[in-house]
Amino acid sequence: MTEKLLQYLWNYKVFKHFDFKDIEGNSVEIINFGKWNTNAGPDFLDAKIKTKGLLIAGNIELHIRTSDWIFHNHSQDPNYQNIILHVVYQNDAEIDDLIRKNVPTLELKDYIDKNILWKYEKLINGTQFIPCEGIFDPNKIPINFHEANVLKKLDEKSQELEKSLDLYKNNFEAILFQSLAYSFGLKVNAHIFRQIAESIDFSVINKIRQNESQLEALFFGISGWLENPGDEQMMIWKREFEFIRKKFSIPDLKLHPKFLRLRPPNFPTIRLSQLADLYYRHQNLFSKIVKADTADGLYDVFTPVKASEYWDCHFNFGTVSKFQPKRLSKDFIELVLLNTVLPLKYTYHKYQNEEIADQILDLYKNTPAEKNSITAGWKKMGMNIKNALESQSLIYHFKTSCEEKNCLNCGIGFKLLKESSDV
């Protein structure tokens, strides 16, 4: 038993019966269990009980043991002067201060189904893919579970984007550029690519985006790859970079993307060239993304993008490879749409379009589900993942609830814990 679990059971009224009696044998009727307080002070506020013929309103404090009242120094704390009931899992002491104030103590040990404690211990101590793996049932997924999860994720991402927008004076185009750079960097180079994007005033991108070679030169130069050119094309990029650097007073900054443990199609050389092509190809990229209202419309923005001609026969500078145009794969485009484009569209429209949440959810529904180790784990649990709405939901839920073993705030965990049948 933990105090958090005890609070959870009290809040959701998960007891075998409600014929409560205090430790002295007096009947205690709970008229109002109170409002769960997650901040400092008593655990439940504005509660109401009836005992010894009196109707009493005030706050309720919960502890594992009665003696915790002493260990937590509540008698000296003015926040605990209006306690009307002390609820404990196990009564192990008499508290003079509570006795003097006629505050009853309610011991819950015999009111709680032991099977719930067993289930909770299994959840928090499990080492499986998800804590409830042994008792998980796909049929226990609450209604609108996926929609709620994706909207939570969108709101969290939107808050991050709004902080960036405050820093960049509401320049959505600059934030889109930084966010796309982060996505194009994938896990290994995401932060470095974002630093590269943040080091460039977006007005510079706008001024040179009609020249793809200059965009590449800018990205490659800041990455520190043009200092010792090994072929003619590198020399061209170096001259372009030196010109741009002087013209626009680009800081003499070198950020070094990583190649380690990356497959050649994901080399930072290829991804930065593709990012350059995206901005060269779409002079009004932000407008196109914002206006696109179908999944196909968004795909059309990214599908033509490819690394420049040099990279048809290279993965890295100076090393010739077999001819292979380096286009954006469908899986990569979906990754960018799900993690960058849709959250930005949601943020841009949410204060102007009341229906944007439903529209964005529809776009998730019309995008294929992601395939990774987390979605594979859910499929082994019997989940049929039909689209990106469900895959994004389950990935988010895994990271925010399952990995953190936050089972008490999980809609699935709530249903599983409330059922007292043996498993």
Side-chain angles (χ1 to χ4, degrees), residues 127-176:
T127 57
Q128 308 97 323
F129 167 65
I130 55 175
C132 63
E133 185 167 318
I135 56 177
F136 178 79
D137 181 353
N139 296 317
K140 302 302 179 189
I141 300 291
I143 296 173
N144 295 326
F145 175 80
H146 298 306
E147 288 83 355
N149 274 340
V150 171
L151 286 174
K152 282 181 191 175
K153 181 177 180 180
L154 282 170
D155 282 328
E156 290 174 8
K157 183 67 175 177
S158 183
Q159 289 175 17
E160 293 176 15
L161 289 169
E162 286 173 348
K163 289 179 183 178
S164 297
L165 285 165
D166 285 342
L167 289 174
Y168 288 87
K169 299 179 181 178
N170 222 36
N171 189 337
F172 271 91
E173 289 192 287
I175 300 307
L176 172 64

Side-chain angles (χ1 to χ4, degrees), residues 68-81:
D68 290 339
W69 178 276
I70 299 171
F71 297 140
H72 296 172
N73 294 314
H74 288 328
S75 292
Q76 286 73 44
D77 190 333
N79 291 314
Y80 293 85
Q81 297 308 304

Side-chain angles (χ1 to χ4, degrees), residues 6 23 37-38 57 66 106 117 143 151-152 157 163 192 209 256 264 287 314-315 341 364 382:
L6 193 66
I23 57 174
N37 174 32
T38 56
T66 315
L106 172 62
L117 304 185
I143 296 173
L151 286 174
K152 282 181 191 175
K157 183 67 175 177
K163 289 179 183 178
I192 295 174
R209 66 195 299 173
H256 300 281
S287 177
H314 295 80
F315 284 101
V341 173
Y364 277 105

Side-chain angles (χ1 to χ4, degrees), residues 239-291:
R239 287 196 297 270
E240 295 276 22
F241 178 63
E242 291 300 329
F243 170 75
I244 295 167
R245 190 168 65 85
K246 291 177 182 177
K247 181 177 181 178
F248 298 108
S249 302
I250 304 294
D252 187 14
L253 180 68
K254 295 293 183 291
L255 300 164
H256 300 281
K258 303 171 185 176
F259 290 80
L260 190 64
R261 292 191 294 276
L262 284 172
R263 293 173 57 248
N266 289 328
F267 277 4
T269 47
I270 306 302
R271 293 306 184 196
L272 284 175
S273 179
Q274 291 167 336
L275 182 62
D277 186 62
L278 175 65
Y279 273 86
Y280 164 72
R281 195 174 290 271
H282 300 292
Q283 300 296 312
N284 54 346
L285 178 62
F286 178 75
S287 177
K288 285 185 178 180
I289 285 175
V290 165
K291 290 179 180 177

